[in-house]
Amino acid sequence: MSAELELALERRIGKRSAAVIEKHLGITTVGELLNYFPRRYLSRGELTPISEVPRDEEVTLIARVVSSSTRAMRARRGSLTDVVITDDAGAATAKGGGSGARAGTLKISFFNGYRAKAELLPGRRAMFSGKVTMFGGTLGLTNPDFLLLDEDPDTPGLDPEKLAAMPIPVYPATAKLTSWSIQKVISTLLETVELGDLEDPLPADIAARENFLPVGEAYRLIHAPETQPDWQRARDRFRFQEALVLQSALARRRAQLASEEATARRPVPNGLLAAFDRQLPFTLTAGQAAVGKTLSGELSQDSPMNRLLQGEVGSGKTIVALRAMLQVVDSGGQAALLAPTEVLAAQHSESIRRTLGPLVRDGLLAGGDAAVGVDGVQVTLLTGSMPTAARKQAMLDAASGTAGIVIGTHALLSENVSFYDLGLIVVDEQHRFGVEQRDALRAKARKPPHLLVMTATPIPRTVAMTVFGDLETSVLDELPAGRAPISTHIVGLAENPAWAARIWSRSREEIDSGHQVYVVCPKIGTDDDGDFSPGEAEPSGAEVESDSAGRELASVTAVVEHLKEEPALAGVPLAPLHGRQDAVLKSETMASFTTNQVKLLVSTTVIEVGVDVHNATLMVILDADRFGISQLHQLRGRVGRGGLPGTCLLVTTLEPGHPSRRRLDAVAATTDGFELSQEDLKLRREGDILGASQSGGRSTLRLLRVLEHEDVIARAREDAQRIVGLDPQLLAHPVLAAAIDEYLNPEKEAFLERG
């Protein structure tokens, strides 16, 4: 990038201001601060609708003072100044009001607020910055920072009408650093930086085609606009620039992958795959056949396949992946299947062995199709908690090539594990693994291996283009025959406390009908925050926001003890299952549930993916509001798998108006995974799309919103593919290449490389 953008911030704004910005925002260079764009813009002539003020968030708003009163505090020394502000909107806009609140008003409390008492007089307009909280059923602010707008010392001599029309940038602020404090520092920066000398990452032909502002002018107008069109033009330019940088990074990576030399794994006539297809007791769906043909063709090439396979729970992804693995084994290679949990790895191992039937070869035992002379394939399971002797044997089988298919957890990534000829890596539930883990497995191959990434969490097209843009994408959107519908209901205990007992009598009815029940809890015990055990990836539902401090969440241990004493479940065999249990106990518990000896399983999210018990028809998810939309969708996919209708009860103690219940409403309203994934993004404000956490909060995408800007992403993607297609190393576009390096910090780069 331009040397100007790489300058230490203190060189342009002084050591003191630079220290404050670094402390509160973590920003140290000119470029980082210039790219710290406003979140939105307020008009001095308009008041902020109080109905739109979000709860439990730092906000900046403009309002008019209605009243102010000061009184002595009873419990301690000092005074309390209460200020009521309004948006002048009237009753129609009031959603957050409650007892003691007027329509379109917000109460602000200042402890020893001498300045507030003197300056916030009725009729005055001011900008307020603070965290909105709920107290006594009423939204309010406590000790917010404020700036009077009636007399703005920073804009002396400006025409009043022009001043009223000037937009006020609102920056992502902190509790210690207000938006207007950030604006003042950036104003100083704009005066000292040579904006006209900044180099433009956008190729000149694209900037001309889109009629974009020069980059320096765009920086000035996005931070200091005089009119609304000013910041809109600047924002449009930087939004496209962000999309092009991101898509160019993906296109460059795709080109690098395509240039690598892999071992072609071509189909073998009358081999294992052909024998497997002959013995299949069902016909592949049209989608499975089509995706299978695509994978077969890509495995036959001498450049590595890099494909994302997404499909709903039960759409048959495992069969498609197994056929690809058999093609690789036929050609003399090995396939590794990486699963996020030991329970899922064991399930995959059992399911694949069962599906292969006589084609499985165990050690010295023969296997295969004798009629055509096809040898079987050895399927080996490798997990961290296996007995030492069994683990050593599994490692020996992988290293010698005896095992054609190796299924495992993070144990596969150990330095001690090696492969004879690793030709294909299948990653199940992609979101559970990081770049280091995937790279560790790739490094065990002689040549770059083929890669198949599977996910049962549907990904909107825009997200696929933005996050998985270096992977080709296939979708399985048909459900095989035998899948029954799942009905989902919200059980709100806040408004219907009597339903708590009905949950367990309903469970007993299901068990008495010969079926089985899952009960899912967000915690293992009373002293932890979830099922995050060593060797297992953190559940994907980490996107839940904080709520109701002090609420005791359901835990596996407490619920098991409670249900043992529950009259409605007297005599029902039940068992706990969670990630911290011994592997043998986990396997025995799952086996007992699979064979219908255990009728009710109390579990954490360890059963989220892969667990397949056809007789289970009811799922009770306790404190369901603690899980994300995609996780709830995954969990309920465990029922209704054997042709029997499934029911999922989403139990919550939160009041109906709580924001977290919107997720439950969304899940109860539809079983369409793609529709839910769109809703998930809306509710989470996209979260950290490029960050490993995938949690809610501020996105690392600065201006790009993947649901709103599909046209921008698609246009930038075409440009990026054209640019990289002609110049894979971006030698003719050094500023764009530098922008990629600057924009993609190590965390973002790692996320992109998870493919």
Side-chain angles (χ1 to χ4, degrees):
M1 292 293 284
S2 164
E4 181 72 24
L5 296 182
E6 294 178 349
L7 269 183
L9 204 49
E10 63 181 63
R11 296 275 299 277
R12 289 290 178 260
I13 64 173
K15 200 165 188 176
R16 185 176 177 184
S17 294
V20 172
I21 293 295
E22 180 177 4
K23 179 180 179 181
H24 295 292
L25 302 181
I27 287 174
T28 59
T29 68
V30 168
E32 288 173 350
L33 189 55
L34 282 178
N35 286 307
Y36 194 77
F37 296 139
R39 174 184 288 165
R40 58 195 172 99
Y41 299 83
L42 299 178
S43 169
R44 294 167 191 265
E46 296 177 10
L47 305 180
T48 303
I50 287 176
S51 63
E52 297 177 8
V53 172
R55 171 180 164 186
D56 293 330
E57 288 188 22
E58 295 284 341
V59 300
T60 299
L61 58 94
I62 294 177
R64 183 175 60 82
V65 177
V66 175
S67 64
S68 175
S69 62
T70 301
R71 54 188 167 84
M73 289 186 283
R74 294 177 184 173
R76 53 178 171 154
R77 294 178 61 185
S79 63
L80 184 67
T81 298
D82 290 326
V83 176
V84 177
I85 59 174
T86 181
D87 58 8
D88 288 344
T93 63
K95 296 179 184 176
S99 59
R102 279 188 17 220
T105 64
L106 197 65
K107 182 180 177 182
I108 305 179
S109 299
F110 294 92
F111 294 98
N112 297 321
Y114 305 114
R115 177 174 162 242
K117 178 183 177 181
E119 297 184 359
L120 293 178
L121 304 177
R124 282 197 158 174
R125 298 158 63 85
M127 186 157 52
F128 299 90
S129 181
K131 187 173 184 178
V132 179
T133 56
M134 179 76 79
F135 183 77
T138 304
L139 290 179
L141 290 167
T142 302
N143 288 334
D145 286 298
F146 65 90
L147 178 71
L148 291 179
L149 296 180
D150 301 313
E151 43 196 57
D152 192 336
D154 290 336
T155 51
L158 263 184
D159 177 80
E161 289 188 14
K162 188 174 183 181
L163 177 61
M166 284 181 65
I168 302 175
V170 177
Y171 292 89
T174 69
K176 300 285 188 180
L177 192 65
T178 63
S179 171
W180 52 85
S181 298
I182 298 170
Q183 182 189 5
K184 287 180 180 178
V185 173
I186 291 179
S187 296
T188 302
L189 182 65
L190 293 176
E191 294 171 2
T192 58
V193 171
E194 294 294 336
L195 295 175
D197 294 341
L198 297 181
E199 296 176 293
D200 195 340
L202 292 182
D205 59 327
I206 294 177
R209 181 195 72 199
E210 300 287 339
N211 194 29
F212 282 144
L213 292 166
V215 65
E217 181 71 357
Y219 275 123
R220 186 179 68 80
L221 292 182
I222 202 166
H223 289 296
E226 294 186 3
T227 65
Q228 180 174 324
D230 283 348
W231 64 257
Q232 288 175 332
R233 288 187 67 195
R235 182 198 57 189
D236 290 347
R237 185 238 143 75
F238 285 120
R239 178 176 293 147
F240 187 89
Q241 178 177 316
E242 180 173 29
L244 183 70
V245 168
L246 187 52
Q247 292 299 329
S248 297
L250 291 164
R252 188 174 66 175
R253 173 165 169 75
R254 184 184 296 201
Q256 290 168 348
L257 290 171
S259 68
E260 292 180 344
E261 185 180 347
T263 301
R265 309 290 179 173
R266 299 183 177 87
V268 174
N270 298 319
L272 267 170
L273 177 55
F276 175 73
D277 285 345
R278 280 196 301 273
Q279 71 170 30
L280 268 181
F282 54 84
T283 303
L284 295 175
T285 66
Q288 287 173 321
V291 173
K293 185 176 180 181
T294 299
L295 297 183
S296 179
E298 292 185 345
L299 289 170
S300 302
Q301 303 299 315
D302 54 10
S303 59
M305 173 180 79
N306 288 281
R307 185 162 288 274
L308 171 68
L309 174 59
Q310 53 177 317
E312 287 280 13
V313 173
S315 59
K317 297 184 298 297
T318 305
I319 286 292
V320 171
L322 178 55
R323 294 184 72 251
M325 288 191 272
L326 292 177
Q327 179 171 325
V328 170
V329 173
D330 270 339
S331 68
Q334 293 169 287
L337 171 56
L338 183 62
T341 67
E342 292 196 350
V343 168
L344 183 52
Q347 285 267 328
H348 272 311
S349 178
E350 293 169 18
S351 172
I352 286 175
R353 293 171 68 87
R354 187 170 61 247
T355 306
L356 286 171
L359 294 176
V360 173
R361 173 169 50 84
D362 284 317
L364 299 176
L365 298 177
D369 191 332
V372 291
V374 175
D375 286 333
V377 57
Q378 180 168 321
V379 179
T380 294
L381 177 65
L382 179 58
T383 65
S385 61
M386 290 171 64
T388 302
R391 188 166 68 250
K392 284 185 176 179
Q393 184 60 52
M395 291 167 59
L396 180 62
D397 290 344
S400 65
T402 303
I405 297 175
V406 182
I407 301 167
T409 56
H410 296 70
L412 291 181
L413 310 175
S414 166
E415 291 182 4
N416 299 327
V417 176
S418 61
F419 292 84
Y420 181 74
D421 184 11
L422 181 57
L424 171 65
I425 297 171
V426 179
V427 180
D428 194 20
E429 290 311 311
Q430 157 71 13
H431 62 280
R432 299 291 193 95
F433 294 100
V435 61
E436 299 87 357
Q437 297 156 330
R438 189 265 327 189
D439 281 347
L441 194 49
R442 276 175 63 98
K444 295 179 184 295
R446 298 177 187 174
K447 289 185 177 181
H450 300 282
L451 177 71
L452 178 64
V453 169
M454 299 196 298
T455 178
T457 304
I459 301 168
R461 176 174 176 267
T462 46
V463 179
M465 286 195 303
T466 306
V467 178
F468 297 101
D470 56 336
L471 298 177
E472 300 294 340
T473 303
S474 294
V475 178
L476 288 175
D477 51 12
E478 305 167 85
L479 289 184
R483 289 308 302 264
I486 302 171
S487 58
T488 305
H489 308 279
I490 298 175
V491 181
L493 299 183
E495 63 269 36
N496 298 292
W499 285 1
R502 175 62 185 142
I503 295 168
W504 309 123
S505 58
R506 177 72 182 81
S507 300
R508 183 60 184 253
E509 291 166 10
E510 208 67 26
I511 292 167
D512 287 346
S513 299
H515 303 143
Q516 291 164 275
V517 178
Y518 291 105
V519 177
V520 181
C521 306
K523 296 169 60 179
I524 297 175
T526 56
D527 59 346
D528 64 68
D529 295 321
D531 191 7
F532 310 154
S533 60
E536 292 190 359
E538 183 171 326
S540 59
E543 65 263 26
V544 296
E545 65 247 31
S546 61
D547 55 33
S548 302
R551 177 164 62 119
E552 183 58 43
L553 300 176
S555 66
V556 171
T557 53
V559 169
V560 166
E561 291 307 310
H562 170 72
L563 296 187
K564 284 179 179 178
E565 305 299 323
E566 171 60 44
L569 295 174
V572 170
L574 56 88
L577 181 73
H578 57 76
R580 292 183 188 159
Q581 289 174 318
D582 174 79
V584 174
L585 177 58
K586 278 192 288 189
S587 298
E588 290 175 351
T589 301
M590 271 311 305
S592 297
F593 191 64
T594 303
T595 57
N596 202 7
Q597 294 171 282
V598 169
K599 304 292 183 181
L600 186 148
L601 189 69
V602 183
S603 171
T604 57
T605 55
V606 72
I607 54 102
E608 178 189 349
V609 288
V611 175
D612 190 11
V613 178
H614 288 189
N615 195 47
T617 53
L618 174 64
M619 174 170 286
V620 178
I621 305 179
L622 301 177
D623 291 316
D625 48 87
R626 294 299 299 169
F627 303 100
I629 284 180
S630 62
Q631 198 168 29
L632 291 170
H633 184 54
Q634 289 282 316
L635 285 167
R636 71 173 167 187
R638 300 304 107 211
V639 295
R641 299 178 70 84
L644 302 168
T647 302
C648 179
L649 303 181
L650 305 176
V651 183
T652 179
T653 59
L654 296 182
E655 65 276 9
H658 195 284
S660 290
R661 282 195 50 163
R662 286 182 60 194
R663 287 197 300 276
L664 306 190
D665 294 333
V667 174
T670 182
T671 56
D672 185 317
F674 281 93
E675 186 178 326
L676 284 174
S677 65
Q678 296 267 2
E679 187 65 22
D680 192 16
L681 278 176
K682 291 177 188 174
L683 290 180
R684 290 198 283 141
R685 302 177 307 282
E686 293 175 323
D688 197 358
I689 289 293
L690 296 183
S693 67
Q694 288 291 283
S695 61
R698 194 171 79 242
S699 172
T700 50
L701 295 176
R702 293 176 184 135
L703 297 173
L704 206 56
R705 295 294 172 262
V706 293
L707 290 184
E708 299 170 27
H709 306 132
E710 181 173 358
D711 59 330
V712 175
I713 294 169
R715 209 159 69 245
R717 183 177 173 83
E718 287 182 14
D719 285 333
Q721 289 176 337
R722 174 179 55 82
I723 291 168
V724 174
L726 295 172
D727 181 12
Q729 303 299 321
L730 297 179
L731 298 177
H733 301 277
V735 186
L736 175 59
I740 292 174
D741 294 337
E742 177 72 20
Y743 181 78
L744 294 180
N745 62 36
E747 181 186 338
K748 293 180 188 174
E749 187 96 56
F751 191 83
L752 291 181
E753 290 183 352
R754 285 190 186 186

